[in-house]
Amino acid sequence: MTQYTGRFAPSPTGLLHIGSLLTAVASYADARAHGGRWLVRMEDLDPPREMAGAADDILRTLEAFGFEWDGEVAYQSRRHELYAEALGRLKKQDLVYPCYCSRKDWQATAALGADGFVYNGRCRIPADRPSENGKAPAWRVRVPDKTIAFEDEIVGHYAQNLAHDIGDFVLLRADGYWAYQLAVVADDAEQGITHIVRGQDLLVSTPRQIYLQECLGAATPHYAHLPLLTNRAGQKWSKQTLAPALELGRRADLLRQVMAYLNLPSAPPTDKPQALLAWAVQNWDISRVPKQAIATE
């Protein structure tokens, strides 16, 4: 059997917050409970959105909360050759095409889908493509008119018709930055990821990633999408909703808090993060994780 390999993949657009900690604890506990490996990958592919020093702060925070990862931290910013190779393979299969449409133009007549506007396919046919005018194109993947479905460990059955719900999506942006969907699939395949435990905000992306896995001949990992933590306004705690950074002085309290959200039994008295994580591993039961969003104070 293939050894369980999981991962935690934060983006350094801000500091870790309570939602990040829930994902870290759940992915760590699931990996260790299966006797598996737990990797850390820094998803630093969008420099304009990144916060100076955030990547190093994230790693220091993980260490302070008692997490121990396997191997070296992978940085997406250092893996461009991997993504270029994946795109090249898709080009050889004629599964991608250059797109010269401006976002403003194509979205003006586009319908809303499962994750924003659905691209209208204008550049699919070379004769219909707008003038290049010397500008660099984005590269889109052709999606089939078929349903991509999978069984999520927490959410259950989930399905999308990519053509209707998503449309041909971007793999390489016109500004030269790699898109998340391609990078994460290439990374997971290269790192041998077998299980992905992450937030339900990424559930909508999973059919796209499964399709790319099929196109690239990569194995599809086992997925478990965690409930989101929401604030008093019902918004997901995130950097955009001003989620406060984790306080190192409250490590034990914060770990107990997210462990309660995950329906783990109360841990014995201790203020040692490593002991609390060990308790989470010993008592981990993913079937007890709530399926719906969790309101926090």
Side-chain angles (χ1 to χ4, degrees):
M1 294 180 63
T2 301
Q3 183 188 22
Y4 181 120
T5 302
R7 45 78 157 178
F8 176 62
S11 174
T13 54
L15 307 181
L16 294 184
H17 53 77
I18 190 69
S20 314
L21 184 61
L22 182 129
T23 301
V25 169
S27 60
Y28 182 87
D30 199 59
R32 298 303 193 218
H34 284 88
R37 302 170 68 232
W38 188 71
L39 311 183
V40 171
R41 182 169 72 223
M42 200 64 62
E43 300 200 330
D44 55 345
L45 274 184
D46 197 351
R49 296 183 59 241
E50 290 167 21
M51 173 182 172
D56 289 341
D57 188 274
I58 286 169
L59 297 180
R60 287 194 297 269
T61 300
L62 289 174
E63 289 178 335
F65 274 80
F67 293 98
E68 297 179 354
W69 52 86
D70 296 292
E72 295 183 1
V73 175
Y75 291 83
Q76 287 187 329
S77 59
R78 304 172 187 174
R79 298 165 70 84
H80 294 287
E81 290 184 2
L82 178 67
Y83 312 140
E85 189 273 337
L87 182 62
R89 290 168 60 189
L90 297 173
K91 287 181 179 179
K92 289 180 180 179
Q93 299 176 68
D94 194 30
L95 291 173
V96 296
Y97 60 88
C99 176
Y100 297 92
C101 299
S102 71
R103 182 178 299 179
K104 180 181 178 181
D105 288 344
W106 76 259
Q107 288 188 356
T109 58
L112 277 172
D115 191 26
F117 290 102
V118 178
Y119 180 65
N120 57 20
R122 180 182 181 188
C123 281
R124 257 186 180 241
I125 303 172
D128 293 340
R129 288 176 192 155
S131 174
E132 301 178 18
N133 291 325
K135 71 175 184 177
W139 283 86
R140 293 183 182 272
V141 62
R142 305 175 193 274
V143 300
D145 186 8
K146 74 172 186 178
T147 297
I148 302 287
F150 69 100
E151 295 298 322
D152 188 86
E153 184 74 16
I154 295 171
V155 176
H157 185 77
Y158 185 80
Q160 276 178 3
N161 180 291
L162 289 180
H164 180 268
D165 296 329
I166 300 296
D168 296 346
F169 55 96
V170 171
L171 303 182
L172 177 62
R173 290 163 29 183
D175 59 11
Y177 293 125
W178 295 102
Y180 165 76
Q181 306 296 351
L182 178 67
V184 72
V185 168
D187 284 327
D188 288 339
E190 190 274 337
Q191 293 185 290
I193 301 299
T194 63
H195 291 68
I196 295 175
V197 180
R198 61 185 182 185
Q200 286 179 21
D201 53 329
L202 292 169
L203 181 66
V204 71
S205 290
T206 306
R208 274 170 279 184
Q209 293 168 17
I210 291 174
Y211 175 60
L212 287 178
Q213 290 157 5
E214 294 174 354
C215 292
L216 293 167
T220 294
H222 183 83
Y223 289 97
H225 285 86
L226 300 162
L228 301 178
L229 301 184
T230 59
N231 59 23
R232 292 181 180 178
Q235 303 167 313
K236 181 192 82 165
W237 274 123
S238 67
K239 303 171 186 79
Q240 289 71 35
T241 57
L242 306 180
L246 296 174
E247 299 177 43
L248 297 188
R250 298 185 58 229
R251 288 172 295 174
D253 289 342
L254 291 169
L255 282 169
R256 289 179 184 278
Q257 186 176 335
V258 299
M259 287 164 62
Y261 293 150
L262 294 166
N263 277 336
L264 283 159
S266 298
T270 179
D271 59 358
K272 295 181 179 180
Q274 292 88 346
L276 290 169
L277 286 179
W279 175 265
V281 171
Q282 294 165 7
N283 292 275
W284 180 248
D285 183 353
I286 201 167
S287 69
R288 298 184 61 183
V289 174
K291 302 181 187 302
Q292 306 299 324
I294 300 169
T296 65
E297 290 298 325

